Amino acid sequence: MNALFQPVLVADGESDILMPAKNSRLPAKYLPNARLSVYSNAGHGFLFQYSAEFGKQVNVFLDR
């Protein structure tokens, strides 16, 4: 079986109707080095609604 072992950042908005958060939870559950962040009260544009927090999270993820 092939697997992705690189670190993966999975992020989504809890109220995203284009990409429901349950679809983000699946890869985060099965990828061994995944980090999941679901932003509450956010939709598909969570990265704009939470730009400062998401930017910090991306930087921390990339620096590890």
Side-chain angles (χ1 to χ4, degrees):
M1 173 191 297
N2 293 331
L4 180 65
F5 293 103
Q6 290 80 9
V8 176
L9 176 60
V10 181
D12 202 353
E14 185 65 48
S15 302
D16 190 340
I17 57 174
L18 295 175
M19 174 70 172
K22 67 179 180 181
N23 293 342
S24 295
R25 288 183 176 95
L26 282 173
K29 179 179 178 181
Y30 293 106
L31 293 172
N33 292 314
R35 179 176 293 176
L36 173 66
S37 287
V38 178
Y39 292 87
S40 61
N41 299 318
H44 198 66
F46 73 90
L47 62 151
F48 302 109
Q49 291 172 263
Y50 292 94
S51 58
E53 295 90 336
F54 184 65
K56 288 177 191 174
Q57 184 177 34
V58 168
N59 287 331
V60 167
F61 177 79
L62 293 174
D63 287 341
R64 65 180 191 137

